Amino acid sequence: MRWLPVLYVAALLLLEPVTPVEWPVSFMLIALPLVAAFAHVPAVVGGATVFAVVLEGVLAGTPCCAGRAVGYLWDRHYVASYICTGLVGVLGMILAAHRVHRERTLADVRFVADIAQRVLLRPVPHQIGSLHLESLYRSAAAEARIGGDLYEAVPTRYGVRLLIGDVRGKGLLAVETAAALLGAFREAAHDEPALPALADRVETSMDRRAVLLGGSEVGERFVTAVFAEIPLGEQLIRVVNCGHPPPVRIRSGEVCELDRGRSAPPLNLGVLLGEPYHVDAYSFRPGDQLLLYTDGITETRDAAGSFYPLLQRLRSWGSLPPRELLERLHQDLLAYSGDRLQDDIAALAVRLPAGEPSVPAAPPPG
């Protein structure tokens, strides 16, 4: 874009000698200030305006241009061209100033969004005890950077506790809800000995927040979530699913959804429906890998409208380590959707390397 004004002038100079006298291509120099306004600051646009007026005069007053026998430097049509170029130059400087202001504002907003994302969705540790972890988050809107998808991994005296969730809706309210949920989980994960009690405590926090917000959609401000726990000294995973896509266990090329059909309602709907939380336990041996994800992944569509075949893809390259697995997943989603993700995506990959018999305890506080 920065070289576009130069290319524009070069094209006009190439056209001028080969066009008839009745078609003075030099009049197209009137647009040069606007071309420069796309990528340059107002001062450069002003310089481009002066250059365009001078070049128009040179082309008009040079008899050899376009086969003319005489010059037309002060012909009324060319004088009108000089005036129009000056007026368009003023407009171009105003547009350039506005664009620069918007770019600076957008840069500030992105900077704040990056900071907010690092606070809200801080990267999980690459290793907790013997577990290897990696996280992935991508917003469907590049300018937004943050949204309602969330994840967390917390080492506790009960084992490593994991959370992945998806807040209903978009915008600031979804981000605030995600922040409240993560805060409640990070605190309660250390205090509640049982996974259902942890989910219930987070549910209580979400209910309290919904009531404080008020409005007519209290019952609709819900969050789908999966709470998972890899306990100390045991080769298993405990899962409480609250209306969320089930986790996937990858074992020696075998891909299995951890779902026994006992999902509880999403958070903030449990009180309305009165359903208890069910804990499902699954084996998790050395060499196994766990993938938690949001529905933005499985609901990604291709050009024909078909949903992304996550399990099929994982069977092809699910044996990769967590970082490579999520990188391959992200690139495959972009390729599948034609580089147009329709929704935010989040994923958390956890692997227990072969030869590691258990998950060690978290260090004591302090």
Side-chain angles (χ1 to χ4, degrees), residues 16 49-50 53 63 114 126 131 140-141 161 175-176 179 200 215 271 282 303 309 317 320-321 325 341 346-347 359 362:
E16 176 68 22
T49 303
V50 174
V53 173
D114 287 338
H126 295 306
L131 291 174
R161 287 180 163 172
V175 176
E176 292 177 348
D200 185 67
V271 173
Y282 306 89
W317 31 263
L320 295 173
L325 173 68
L341 296 176
V359 179

Side-chain angles (χ1 to χ4, degrees), residues 245-295:
V248 174
R249 183 187 62 199
I250 305 169
R251 172 184 292 168
S252 301
E254 174 191 355
V255 178
C256 175
E257 283 190 335
L258 305 184
D259 183 16
R260 292 182 178 152
R262 301 196 299 172
S263 174
L267 299 174
N268 200 36
L269 293 182
V271 173
L272 299 177
L273 302 180
E275 295 288 337
Y277 293 109
H278 299 282
V279 179
D280 294 319
Y282 306 89
S283 65
F284 191 63
R285 302 197 297 260
D288 289 354
Q289 187 161 202
L290 180 71
L291 178 67
L292 300 97
Y293 60 93
T294 58
D295 60 6

Side-chain angles (χ1 to χ4, degrees), residues 165-183:
D166 186 359
V167 180
R168 174 191 175 273
K170 303 293 182 184
L172 183 59
L173 181 61
V175 176
E176 292 177 348
T177 303
L181 175 59
L182 286 169

Side-chain angles (χ1 to χ4, degrees), residues 51-94:
F51 173 80
V53 173
V54 172
L55 184 57
E56 286 172 347
V58 170
L59 294 176
T62 304
C64 64
C65 290
R68 292 191 300 266
V70 295
Y72 295 96
L73 178 62
W74 300 113
D75 183 87
R76 60 181 180 178
H77 297 293
Y78 285 94
V79 171
S81 175
Y82 310 151
I83 297 174
C84 289
T85 304
L87 294 176
V88 172
V90 173
L91 177 61
M93 287 188 286
I94 295 174

